[in-house]
Amino acid sequence: MNTGDLIQTLAADAAPVRPARIAPRLVAIFLIATAFWAAILASWLELPPGTAAGLGWFWMKLVYSFVLALAGLVATVRLARPGGRMAAAAWIALAAVAAIAAMAVRETMATAPSHMAALWLGQTWWICPLRILVTAAPIYAATLWLLRRAAPTRLALAGAGAGLFAGAAGATIYALYCQETAAAFVLAWYTLGIAVCAALGAAIGARLLRW
């Protein structure tokens, strides 16, 4: 029996493989992480006043980080399979950054020079990216565990997608407790925290996702 006949014989007995449902599992990871961190952060940080939910700045932070989390989810799902691309995820992320950047520019133009530092630095610029990184860490670990059971071939990009998802999901959770109100602050420090998560995700994924 030659090699071709052997392959055909083996393939004839192979049952169809059900593709892994990555997206629902990522959503479950996000929901579990939200409940986990809500229990911890509730005793560590204070929730904004109840009226905050009716204010634009509250939803601005949530929508921005949530859309980036959606971009990370799309990237992770697509890159979990051989030949996956992240063009759609990149466009979603760019649209979110462009929208928040436009808001930050408008704020900057309407702010006096003497208040510029307060606009961009807020009160928590030095700790915000670190809190996002800490919040994202268990989400990334769970996402990486899921990716190791898939078949990514572009390992660094898959790790970056997982890092983007984890970082933005962590930022979404943290946004519930963050007291900052400026789009300029969110553009600078939320984006930095999420970008660091994506960069670390790429570095870790390139090593730990090897088959």
Side-chain angles (χ1 to χ4, degrees), residues 14 16 25 46 53 129 146 155-156 171 202:
R25 296 178 183 180
E46 293 183 3
L146 186 61
L155 306 186

Side-chain angles (χ1 to χ4, degrees), residues 68 71-73 75-76 79 86 89 140 143-144 147 154-168 194-206 209:
L68 287 181
L73 185 148
T76 303
L79 292 167
M86 58 181 301
Y140 179 77
T143 305
L144 191 70
L147 275 177
R154 306 171 73 182
L155 306 186
L157 277 179
L164 174 60
F165 170 71
I194 295 170
V196 169
C197 291
L200 290 175
I204 295 171
L209 290 176

